[in-house]
Amino acid sequence: MKALEGVRILDMTHVQSGPTCTQLLAWFGADVLKVERPGVGDATRGQLRDVPDADSLYFTMLNHNKRSITLNTKDEKGKEVFTRLIKTCDVMVENFAPGALDRMGFSWERIQEINPRMIYASVKGFGPGPYSECKVYENVAQCAGGSASTTGFLDGPPLVTGAQIGDSGTGLHLALGIVTALYQREHSGRGQRVLASMQDGVLNLCRVKLRDQQRLAHGPLKEYSQFGEGIPFADATPRAGNDSGGGQPGRILKCKGWETDANAYTYFITQAAVWEKICDVIGHPEWKEDPDFATPPARLPRLNEVFGAIEQWTMTKTKYEVMEICNPLDIPVGPILSMQELSEEPSLRETGTIVEVDHPTRGKYLTVGNPVKLSDSPSEVSRSPLLGEHTGEILQEVLGYSAEEVSDLRDAGAVGREDCGST
Ligand code: COA
């Protein structure tokens, strides 16, 4: 048994945010039926292609463990099939531009009429308000959700981050909303509407920056490097470079080989509890007693000097040696690991976080497996479906259509012919 076995998801998602959500649900055991436009499919199938005529990694890495049905939901016969899917499924997930499902004739009210137990979950760029009609992509969400204004260095422009907090982050939020609504349905017997907006999701992840915004009213943010550098604070939470977001000062420091290796760096936190050990390790034992360095408040105006001295030491070690020396002493450090290093890390392979998958048209590739591990519901990663691969199977096995009816639907263009070998 998988945790979500028996839950059927009508997956109307595309691109990244929605597919991240339904992929997670599939890993937990839900039967995810991905509905795609005949002959076209999810646009990401063809985006950033590395292998000609094969589904892109963008698509394959976001759509594991799903089945694909091609269905024209704007066609009258296609709408009949879609209605039967709504009746049969527990959850519908979509991340179209605002109003797309209403324009197809499937408003929330109509969906409730068809299936009152249906949980209807959406990702949108913004919640209700002035921007609710906007189409939104990852970096727009990072900017509108407060991440960009607080990322980067004080003297540089706002920066977006490589972590897809707008898309994948919101997909995660939505997945939590869906399982919560499934749990409530156990008691209420009713479905409900679940909305995760990308702006809200990013802002949620930037919670500590709103914390700092309010702290600013009571004085400078002393743990920020700019305090020690004597640079006055303006009205909004500033960009803080690589300063740690908590009360313990931290920075990214060069390690041995930094001149040629772009990732020969370590994160280093000068946690107060282990300050004396840090002093010993970096060869400044005198700082343990020196009133200018002995206490956290004394160090705050001298962080450049402190981290400069620590960096003199880290530059004599590789990032892994820094980890080996500091970890037993409980000094919090972390190597800057590249995608190449992560993809080759044996422990991540062993836990199923990095998985090799075989695909019929593109061959073997690496992906990130389920980052959430359930002891009673382990996730196995299976390849993403080809466009419309399961159209006939879903129509017959899930919806109960006869082979003749399936053939009629194909002839009428309501469903695609991809699984018959022609589009
Ligand atoms: N059969 C028939 N038509 C279909 C279909 C199907 N199976 N599946 C989708 N369509 C139609 C939709 O009904 C819509 O038509 P309409 O514009 O006539 O209403 C159209 O295909 C595509 O919808 P849209 O969502 O507008 O695609 P887009 O490529 O223009 O925009 C986004 C992409 C991501 C910007 C937009 O979907 C969006 O803002 N989504 C919400 C936020 C989001 O998730 N953003 C992050 C994506 S990672």
Side-chain angles (χ1 to χ4, degrees), residues 14-17 35-37 71-74 95-97 100 103-104 123-125 134-137 167 198:
H14 66 155
V15 204
Q16 185 182 162
S17 64
V35 176
E36 298 180 81
R37 234 182 316 173
L71 175 67
N72 183 353
T73 51
K74 287 183 173 164
N95 67 311
F96 290 129
R103 286 192 287 280
M104 282 178 204
V123 169
K124 293 288 168 258
C134 296
K135 291 190 177 188
V136 170
Y137 292 94
D167 280 340
M198 295 169 75

Short mmCIF file of all heavy atoms in Angstrom, two decimals, residues 14-17 35-37 71-74 95-97 100 103-104 123-125 134-137 167 198, ligand 1:
data_model
loop_
_atom_site.label_atom_id
_atom_site.label_comp_id
_atom_site.label_asym_id
_atom_site.label_seq_id
_atom_site.Cartn_x
_atom_site.Cartn_y
_atom_site.Cartn_z
N HIS A 14 0.53 22.05 -16.27
CA HIS A 14 1.57 22.16 -17.30
C HIS A 14 2.73 23.01 -16.77
O HIS A 14 2.62 23.62 -15.72
CB HIS A 14 0.99 22.76 -18.60
CG HIS A 14 0.52 24.18 -18.48
ND1 HIS A 14 0.45 25.04 -19.54
CD2 HIS A 14 0.09 24.90 -17.41
CE1 HIS A 14 0.00 26.22 -19.14
NE2 HIS A 14 -0.23 26.16 -17.86
N VAL A 15 3.80 23.01 -17.52
CA VAL A 15 5.03 23.72 -17.17
C VAL A 15 5.60 23.15 -15.85
O VAL A 15 5.81 21.95 -15.77
CB VAL A 15 4.88 25.25 -17.18
CG1 VAL A 15 6.23 25.92 -17.39
CG2 VAL A 15 3.93 25.71 -18.29
N GLN A 16 5.79 23.97 -14.81
CA GLN A 16 6.51 23.46 -13.65
C GLN A 16 5.73 23.40 -12.33
O GLN A 16 5.78 22.40 -11.62
CB GLN A 16 7.79 24.28 -13.42
CG GLN A 16 8.65 23.72 -12.31
CD GLN A 16 9.91 24.50 -11.98
OE1 GLN A 16 10.48 24.34 -10.93
NE2 GLN A 16 10.37 25.35 -12.89
N SER A 17 5.01 24.48 -12.02
CA SER A 17 4.45 24.55 -10.66
C SER A 17 3.43 23.44 -10.41
O SER A 17 3.53 22.69 -9.43
CB SER A 17 3.80 25.91 -10.43
OG SER A 17 2.69 26.08 -11.30
N VAL A 35 -3.89 15.16 -18.31
CA VAL A 35 -4.67 15.48 -19.51
C VAL A 35 -3.87 16.48 -20.35
O VAL A 35 -3.48 17.54 -19.87
CB VAL A 35 -6.03 16.09 -19.12
CG1 VAL A 35 -6.80 16.51 -20.36
CG2 VAL A 35 -6.84 15.09 -18.31
N GLU A 36 -3.66 16.11 -21.62
CA GLU A 36 -2.89 17.00 -22.50
C GLU A 36 -3.62 17.20 -23.82
O GLU A 36 -4.42 16.35 -24.24
CB GLU A 36 -1.50 16.41 -22.76
CG GLU A 36 -0.67 16.28 -21.50
CD GLU A 36 0.70 15.70 -21.76
OE1 GLU A 36 1.59 16.44 -22.17
OE2 GLU A 36 0.87 14.48 -21.55
N ARG A 37 -3.32 18.33 -24.45
CA ARG A 37 -3.96 18.63 -25.73
C ARG A 37 -3.46 17.69 -26.82
O ARG A 37 -2.24 17.50 -26.95
CB ARG A 37 -3.66 20.07 -26.13
CG ARG A 37 -4.95 20.82 -26.42
CD ARG A 37 -4.75 22.21 -26.86
NE ARG A 37 -3.75 22.95 -26.10
CZ ARG A 37 -3.33 24.16 -26.44
NH1 ARG A 37 -3.83 24.75 -27.52
NH2 ARG A 37 -2.45 24.79 -25.73
N LEU A 71 -6.70 14.76 -24.72
CA LEU A 71 -8.13 15.03 -24.76
C LEU A 71 -8.34 16.50 -25.11
O LEU A 71 -7.73 17.37 -24.49
CB LEU A 71 -8.71 14.73 -23.35
CG LEU A 71 -10.16 15.05 -23.08
CD1 LEU A 71 -11.07 14.12 -23.90
CD2 LEU A 71 -10.47 14.87 -21.59
N ASN A 72 -9.20 16.75 -26.10
CA ASN A 72 -9.52 18.14 -26.43
C ASN A 72 -10.70 18.58 -25.58
O ASN A 72 -11.85 18.23 -25.85
CB ASN A 72 -9.85 18.24 -27.93
CG ASN A 72 -10.12 19.69 -28.32
OD1 ASN A 72 -10.19 20.58 -27.46
ND2 ASN A 72 -10.27 19.93 -29.62
N THR A 73 -10.41 19.33 -24.55
CA THR A 73 -11.46 19.71 -23.60
C THR A 73 -12.29 20.89 -24.10
O THR A 73 -13.17 21.37 -23.39
CB THR A 73 -10.85 20.07 -22.22
OG1 THR A 73 -9.80 21.02 -22.44
CG2 THR A 73 -10.30 18.85 -21.53
N LYS A 74 -11.99 21.34 -25.32
CA LYS A 74 -12.84 22.40 -25.90
C LYS A 74 -13.82 21.81 -26.91
O LYS A 74 -14.69 22.53 -27.41
CB LYS A 74 -11.96 23.46 -26.56
CG LYS A 74 -11.24 24.34 -25.52
CD LYS A 74 -10.44 25.42 -26.17
CE LYS A 74 -9.89 26.37 -25.12
NZ LYS A 74 -8.81 27.20 -25.66
N ASN A 95 -3.03 24.61 -13.38
CA ASN A 95 -2.30 25.88 -13.25
C ASN A 95 -2.33 26.64 -14.57
O ASN A 95 -1.31 27.13 -15.04
CB ASN A 95 -0.87 25.68 -12.74
CG ASN A 95 0.02 24.95 -13.73
OD1 ASN A 95 -0.35 23.90 -14.25
ND2 ASN A 95 1.21 25.47 -13.98
N PHE A 96 -3.52 26.70 -15.15
CA PHE A 96 -3.70 27.51 -16.36
C PHE A 96 -3.74 28.98 -15.98
O PHE A 96 -3.88 29.34 -14.80
CB PHE A 96 -5.01 27.15 -17.06
CG PHE A 96 -5.00 25.79 -17.69
CD1 PHE A 96 -6.02 24.88 -17.45
CD2 PHE A 96 -3.97 25.41 -18.56
CE1 PHE A 96 -6.01 23.63 -18.03
CE2 PHE A 96 -3.96 24.16 -19.14
CZ PHE A 96 -4.98 23.27 -18.88
N ALA A 97 -3.68 29.81 -17.01
CA ALA A 97 -3.90 31.24 -16.79
C ALA A 97 -5.31 31.42 -16.20
O ALA A 97 -6.19 30.59 -16.45
CB ALA A 97 -3.76 31.98 -18.10
N ALA A 100 -9.12 30.01 -17.48
CA ALA A 100 -9.07 29.07 -18.62
C ALA A 100 -10.11 27.96 -18.46
O ALA A 100 -10.80 27.62 -19.43
CB ALA A 100 -7.66 28.48 -18.77
N ARG A 103 -13.57 29.24 -19.10
CA ARG A 103 -13.81 29.41 -20.53
C ARG A 103 -14.12 28.07 -21.21
O ARG A 103 -14.84 28.02 -22.19
CB ARG A 103 -12.60 30.08 -21.21
CG ARG A 103 -12.48 31.57 -20.89
CD ARG A 103 -11.46 32.25 -21.81
NE ARG A 103 -10.08 31.92 -21.50
CZ ARG A 103 -9.36 32.45 -20.51
NH1 ARG A 103 -9.91 33.36 -19.72
NH2 ARG A 103 -8.11 32.10 -20.30
N MET A 104 -13.60 26.99 -20.67
CA MET A 104 -13.93 25.66 -21.22
C MET A 104 -15.33 25.22 -20.80
O MET A 104 -15.84 24.21 -21.25
CB MET A 104 -12.96 24.60 -20.65
CG MET A 104 -11.60 24.56 -21.26
SD MET A 104 -10.69 23.25 -20.34
CE MET A 104 -9.03 23.78 -20.63
N VAL A 123 -2.89 26.50 -8.94
CA VAL A 123 -1.80 27.45 -8.74
C VAL A 123 -2.12 28.65 -9.61
O VAL A 123 -2.47 28.50 -10.79
CB VAL A 123 -0.43 26.88 -9.18
CG1 VAL A 123 0.62 27.99 -9.23
CG2 VAL A 123 0.02 25.76 -8.27
N LYS A 124 -2.03 29.82 -9.05
CA LYS A 124 -2.15 31.06 -9.83
C LYS A 124 -0.97 31.95 -9.46
O LYS A 124 -0.35 31.76 -8.41
CB LYS A 124 -3.48 31.77 -9.53
CG LYS A 124 -4.70 30.99 -9.99
CD LYS A 124 -4.86 30.98 -11.51
CE LYS A 124 -5.90 29.97 -11.99
NZ LYS A 124 -5.33 28.73 -12.53
N GLY A 125 -0.70 32.93 -10.31
CA GLY A 125 0.41 33.83 -10.02
C GLY A 125 0.15 34.64 -8.76
O GLY A 125 0.99 34.75 -7.87
N CYS A 134 -3.12 38.18 -13.99
CA CYS A 134 -1.81 38.11 -14.67
C CYS A 134 -1.35 36.68 -14.88
O CYS A 134 -1.57 35.81 -14.05
CB CYS A 134 -0.75 38.80 -13.83
SG CYS A 134 -1.01 40.54 -13.62
N LYS A 135 -0.65 36.48 -16.01
CA LYS A 135 0.08 35.24 -16.21
C LYS A 135 1.42 35.40 -15.51
O LYS A 135 2.06 36.44 -15.62
CB LYS A 135 0.33 34.99 -17.70
CG LYS A 135 -0.92 34.67 -18.47
CD LYS A 135 -0.58 34.20 -19.86
CE LYS A 135 -1.87 33.81 -20.58
NZ LYS A 135 -1.62 33.15 -21.86
N VAL A 136 1.84 34.38 -14.82
CA VAL A 136 3.05 34.54 -14.00
C VAL A 136 4.01 33.37 -14.18
O VAL A 136 3.59 32.21 -14.23
CB VAL A 136 2.67 34.69 -12.51
CG1 VAL A 136 3.89 34.62 -11.61
CG2 VAL A 136 1.96 36.02 -12.29
N TYR A 137 5.28 33.70 -14.29
CA TYR A 137 6.34 32.70 -14.37
C TYR A 137 7.26 32.84 -13.16
O TYR A 137 7.22 33.84 -12.44
CB TYR A 137 7.15 32.88 -15.66
CG TYR A 137 6.36 32.56 -16.90
CD1 TYR A 137 5.68 33.56 -17.60
CD2 TYR A 137 6.26 31.26 -17.35
CE1 TYR A 137 4.94 33.26 -18.74
CE2 TYR A 137 5.52 30.95 -18.50
CZ TYR A 137 4.87 31.94 -19.19
OH TYR A 137 4.13 31.65 -20.30
N ASP A 167 7.84 28.34 -8.64
CA ASP A 167 7.16 27.22 -9.28
C ASP A 167 7.11 25.99 -8.37
O ASP A 167 6.05 25.58 -7.90
CB ASP A 167 7.87 26.85 -10.58
CG ASP A 167 7.50 27.78 -11.72
OD1 ASP A 167 6.45 28.43 -11.63
OD2 ASP A 167 8.24 27.85 -12.71
N MET A 198 1.47 31.99 -6.32
CA MET A 198 2.94 31.98 -6.32
C MET A 198 3.50 33.13 -5.48
O MET A 198 4.50 32.98 -4.78
CB MET A 198 3.45 32.05 -7.77
CG MET A 198 3.05 30.82 -8.56
SD MET A 198 3.32 30.98 -10.34
CE MET A 198 5.09 30.81 -10.47
N1 COA B 1 -7.73 20.85 -24.70
C1 COA B 1 -8.05 22.05 -25.22
N2 COA B 1 -7.53 23.22 -24.80
C2 COA B 1 -6.63 23.15 -23.81
C3 COA B 1 -6.25 21.93 -23.21
C4 COA B 1 -6.85 20.74 -23.71
N3 COA B 1 -6.53 19.54 -23.20
N4 COA B 1 -5.34 22.18 -22.25
C5 COA B 1 -5.14 23.51 -22.23
N5 COA B 1 -5.93 24.09 -23.17
C6 COA B 1 -6.03 25.53 -23.46
C7 COA B 1 -6.53 26.31 -22.29
O1 COA B 1 -7.91 26.19 -22.19
C8 COA B 1 -6.06 27.70 -22.66
O2 COA B 1 -6.96 28.22 -23.64
P1 COA B 1 -7.62 29.69 -23.55
O3 COA B 1 -6.48 30.65 -23.47
O4 COA B 1 -8.38 29.78 -24.84
O5 COA B 1 -8.47 29.75 -22.36
C9 COA B 1 -4.75 27.43 -23.36
O6 COA B 1 -4.76 26.05 -23.71
C10 COA B 1 -3.46 27.59 -22.57
O7 COA B 1 -3.63 28.14 -21.37
P2 COA B 1 -2.61 29.15 -20.67
O8 COA B 1 -2.59 28.73 -19.26
O9 COA B 1 -3.03 30.55 -20.92
O10 COA B 1 -1.17 28.87 -21.31
P3 COA B 1 0.00 29.91 -21.61
O11 COA B 1 1.10 29.10 -22.19
O12 COA B 1 -0.46 31.08 -22.42
O13 COA B 1 0.43 30.48 -20.18
C11 COA B 1 1.28 30.31 -17.92
C12 COA B 1 1.30 29.76 -19.35
C13 COA B 1 2.13 29.38 -17.07
C14 COA B 1 1.85 31.70 -17.86
C15 COA B 1 -0.17 30.35 -17.40
O14 COA B 1 -0.73 29.08 -17.54
C16 COA B 1 -0.29 30.79 -15.95
O15 COA B 1 -0.18 31.97 -15.61
N6 COA B 1 -0.53 29.85 -15.03
C17 COA B 1 -0.73 30.12 -13.64
C18 COA B 1 0.56 30.43 -12.93
C19 COA B 1 1.59 29.37 -13.12
O16 COA B 1 1.38 28.20 -12.82
N7 COA B 1 2.77 29.81 -13.54
C20 COA B 1 3.95 28.99 -13.51
C21 COA B 1 4.05 28.00 -14.54
S1 COA B 1 5.42 27.00 -14.14
#
